[in-house]
Amino acid sequence: IDHKTWMNRVLSAVREKPSTMSEVALAYGVYPTTTRPRATQLVALGFIRDSGLRRRNQFGRNEIVFESVDIQA
């Protein structure tokens, strides 16, 4: 699967529910190293942002909870 497909999957997951990239990776059955770079790209493009919340991942480390940005037409 190419990076654009993963960007769309990450964006869809975060639009559905604010999530960490570990949570998104778990939902798709991939490693977080697949989803984290896509989050960085989506933040740079203005589609998602840091919600200010943190949740612990399976290793006990805090992760950013991302939320979607409402795009005004």
Side-chain angles (χ1 to χ4, degrees):
I1 298 175
D2 66 11
H3 74 278
K4 288 184 181 182
T5 300
W6 278 114
M7 282 178 65
N8 286 327
R9 287 182 177 188
V10 168
L11 182 57
S12 292
V14 172
R15 280 184 174 156
E16 187 177 313
K17 175 186 169 196
S19 306
T20 68
M21 289 304 101
S22 288
E23 293 166 345
V24 173
L26 183 62
Y28 284 108
V30 297
Y31 291 108
T33 53
T34 301
T35 56
R36 282 190 198 113
R38 306 299 73 90
T40 301
Q41 292 171 323
L42 289 165
V43 168
L45 292 169
F47 289 109
I48 65 173
R49 66 180 168 217
D50 182 337
S51 70
L53 300 174
R54 300 293 181 269
R55 285 201 277 257
R56 294 201 184 274
N57 64 18
Q58 66 269 32
F59 303 108
R61 297 185 69 180
N62 284 327
E63 275 194 59
I64 295 169
V65 177
F66 290 96
E67 64 185 4
S68 63
V69 174
D70 291 330
I71 305 298
Q72 302 296 323

